[in-house]
Amino acid sequence: MVTILDPTNETRPVERQITARADALRGTIGLLDISKPRGSVLLDELERILGERAPEAAVKRYRKPTFAKPCPDALRAEIRDACDLVVEGLAD
């Protein structure tokens, strides 16, 4: 069992379960840029690689307004409803 801690509140950690990995990349893959410098560079390259290795998958791009605050509820709901899996791009 793997335990993941939520870094947004270390005084009261929340245990989370890791979702099982898919056997193949298909469906809609969301790429979330959290608005840190150069995050889009990472996600641009990932989108290119996904296009080559998983051409049957659709890729949708999203961007948080700022990295300094949690993702807005409306954006989280949009991503949840539209995507089968999400990659969050962190960079500096």
Side-chain angles (χ1 to χ4, degrees):
M1 177 180 185
V2 175
T3 301
I4 298 176
L5 300 178
D6 183 344
T8 60
N9 185 355
E10 295 178 12
T11 60
R12 294 177 39 208
V14 176
E15 283 195 24
R16 301 186 192 271
Q17 297 296 319
I18 294 178
T19 302
R21 289 185 181 213
D23 58 345
L25 291 175
R26 57 179 171 261
T28 301
I29 301 169
L31 301 180
L32 175 61
D33 183 340
I34 70 162
S35 296
K36 282 196 134 196
R38 298 186 46 83
S40 61
V41 174
L42 167 71
L43 294 176
D44 289 346
E45 181 64 10
L46 182 56
E47 185 173 13
R48 184 190 68 74
I49 292 168
L50 287 169
E52 292 174 358
R53 297 188 183 178
E56 64 282 355
V59 174
K60 293 188 82 166
R61 298 285 293 260
Y62 300 93
R63 184 175 173 90
K64 281 179 47 178
T66 176
F67 68 86
K69 295 182 181 178
C71 188
D73 290 341
L75 180 55
R76 276 200 321 245
E78 180 183 348
I79 293 168
R80 178 200 62 218
D81 293 343
C83 300
D84 299 298
L85 63 100
V86 177
V87 175
E88 186 173 337
L90 310 173
D92 255 340

